[in-house]
Amino acid sequence: MAGLFRNIIAFMLGLLAHGRRAPGDTTSARFLVTPFDVGLRILKSDKYLQLVEPAQMDYLLQVGRLFGILQGGARFVNIGQTVRFFRPIPVFSVVRIDTRIVYADDRCAFFASTLHVKGERAAEVLVKMKFKKNGLTVSAQSLLHIHFDTVPLSVQKWDAALAAL
């Protein structure tokens, strides 16, 4: 229930900044870690990924692409995620999540999100996202209106690791 409420709030706040950023920009969203997100007193590891999902929606709203993607009949699916932890996030912390696209091609887009608590980096999340329409993959570059000349080394390594699984 907390995740649904967080998504609704992220959507409403994202609407306020709709289209104010360029696709290559980094966006920031803030969320409160509630007792529904924690084990005994710190954020559960799977909840990091649940915090990043509304930050991705906020990104798509701020760069003005969410409605165009949905109106075109496409949907987005997170197909791979990795988290690098730096420090625990306690309950009732305000988490700032900086989100950007680090790479996109005809198959998918890679979103990088950095979680900050009290100004310090707490975690980094890399998400591989595909866009689907009628069961077929749609070019992430064309939907996001962004182009990359080279694939970052971090994306190459992570994509190779995913392919090996």
Side-chain angles (χ1 to χ4, degrees):
M1 187 64 157
L4 175 63
F5 185 64
R6 183 178 293 120
N7 286 345
I8 291 169
I9 290 174
F11 181 78
M12 292 175 15
L13 292 174
L15 279 177
L16 296 174
H18 183 265
R20 293 188 181 168
R21 300 281 185 154
D25 290 350
T26 299
T27 63
S28 291
R30 287 180 169 65
F31 302 106
L32 178 67
V33 175
T34 70
F36 299 108
D37 300 317
V38 300
L40 295 176
R41 60 182 178 82
I42 60 172
L43 189 65
K44 293 181 186 178
S45 59
D46 63 322
K47 298 293 183 173
Y48 283 77
L49 304 173
Q50 288 182 5
L51 283 174
V52 170
E53 288 175 358
Q56 288 174 309
M57 180 179 55
D58 179 70
Y59 171 88
L60 291 172
L61 280 164
Q62 287 193 43
V63 300
R65 298 303 315 139
L66 181 65
F67 296 122
I69 290 168
L70 296 176
Q71 287 173 349
R75 303 290 180 256
F76 42 93
V77 180
N78 291 343
I79 59 171
Q81 304 162 340
T82 184
V83 181
R84 185 172 170 198
F85 301 100
F86 295 104
R87 60 181 27 88
I89 299 176
V91 67
F92 299 118
S93 295
V94 175
V95 178
R96 185 185 87 227
I97 304 175
D98 296 334
T99 302
R100 64 189 172 91
I101 293 182
V102 291
Y103 183 70
D105 60 18
D106 288 336
R107 296 179 304 122
C108 57
F110 289 84
F111 284 80
S113 296
T114 305
L115 287 75
H116 300 271
V117 175
K118 297 179 183 174
E120 299 207 18
R121 183 175 59 171
E124 291 177 350
V125 180
L126 187 61
V127 177
K128 183 177 183 180
M129 178 189 286
K130 272 193 175 186
F131 296 89
K132 297 286 208 174
K133 180 177 179 179
N134 299 326
L136 300 173
T137 299
V138 180
S139 169
Q141 283 181 330
S142 65
L143 289 176
L144 298 171
H145 298 188
I146 193 166
H147 177 75
F148 293 88
D149 293 324
T150 60
V151 181
L153 184 59
S154 61
V155 170
Q156 291 176 21
K157 288 180 180 179
W158 190 59
D159 210 20
L162 283 176
L165 293 176

